Amino acid sequence: MIRGDKVGLRTRQDGDVPVFQAELYEDVVMRSRADSLPWRPIPPEAAESPSAAAAPSEQKAYFSVVELESQELAGEALMWGIDLHNRTAHLGISMLPAFRGRGLGGDVIRVLCEYGFAVRGLQRLQVETLVDNTAMIAAATGAGFSVEGTLRCSAWVYGAFVDRVILGLLAEEWAP
């Protein structure tokens, strides 16, 4: 487990899958805001289920977020699009509804940065989120990310096009 001040990131376990499926994936409106792919009814046992425990990959790293104080499962974190040639990757997090608004997101982002920069030796990390996702923007900027731009009407979200904001952090800007 990689530990921050409030959270730890550990390997996704089989017992996490039904929780993620019920509380994150089956919330169609929220999932539509969090994923660039359209929501589809996929059972948790299906190989392509985003809730399933993933096999190790050079391009993705899936984590379960655990609140350190309670030791409860608090959400999921993902480093995806890992490009070892250019030493870049994208970050994403989803907190379970009961853990939103507790200030854990910034700590999750900081721990993902530690994994990306210290463990994987990456040079650049990027966050892409909807322009109205103030919690994610605050978590990322609080961890040192800078807003780099806006992609206008680039996300189809539950019946409407929405702007996305791009945030980036370079290894030399990271303060562990």
Side-chain angles (χ1 to χ4, degrees):
M1 181 182 293
I2 304 172
R3 295 175 184 272
D5 294 331
K6 300 176 183 179
V7 300
L9 302 185
R10 64 162 167 76
T11 303
R12 185 175 290 182
Q13 299 170 357
D14 289 338
D16 301 341
V17 173
V19 176
F20 291 153
Q21 182 77 18
E23 295 193 40
L24 297 176
Y25 190 73
E26 293 297 334
D27 183 346
V28 178
V29 174
M30 185 60 75
R31 185 67 188 194
S32 296
R33 294 180 52 76
D35 196 340
S36 61
L37 298 173
W39 185 89
R40 297 179 300 135
I42 300 173
E45 65 276 1
E48 66 271 16
S49 170
S51 301
S57 164
E58 286 298 315
Q59 291 79 33
K60 291 182 182 179
Y62 294 91
F63 298 96
S64 291
V65 177
V66 176
E67 183 184 42
L68 293 176
E69 184 177 324
S70 68
Q71 289 297 301
E72 291 182 80
L73 181 64
E76 64 179 347
L78 170 66
M79 184 171 288
W80 58 277
I82 300 171
D83 177 342
L84 296 178
H85 175 72
N86 293 303
R87 295 176 45 207
T88 62
H90 303 262
L91 307 182
I93 66 173
S94 291
M95 302 306 291
L96 296 173
F99 290 88
R100 293 177 190 152
R102 293 190 187 183
L104 301 177
D107 202 38
V108 175
I109 296 292
R110 284 187 287 281
V111 177
L112 280 171
C113 289
E114 181 178 346
Y115 176 75
F117 293 132
V119 176
R120 299 295 297 260
L122 299 175
Q123 168 60 23
R124 173 187 164 74
L125 297 175
Q126 182 169 311
V127 170
E128 299 149 19
T129 191
L130 300 179
V131 75
D132 63 352
N133 188 348
T134 56
M136 183 61 164
I137 294 168
T141 57
F145 282 75
S146 298
V147 175
E148 296 180 335
T150 301
L151 302 174
R152 297 178 306 137
C153 292
S154 61
W156 178 252
V157 179
Y158 212 79
F161 284 104
V162 180
D163 295 350
R164 279 189 289 189
V165 63
I166 306 296
L167 301 100
L169 180 65
L170 303 178
E172 58 266 20
E173 298 167 339
W174 176 56

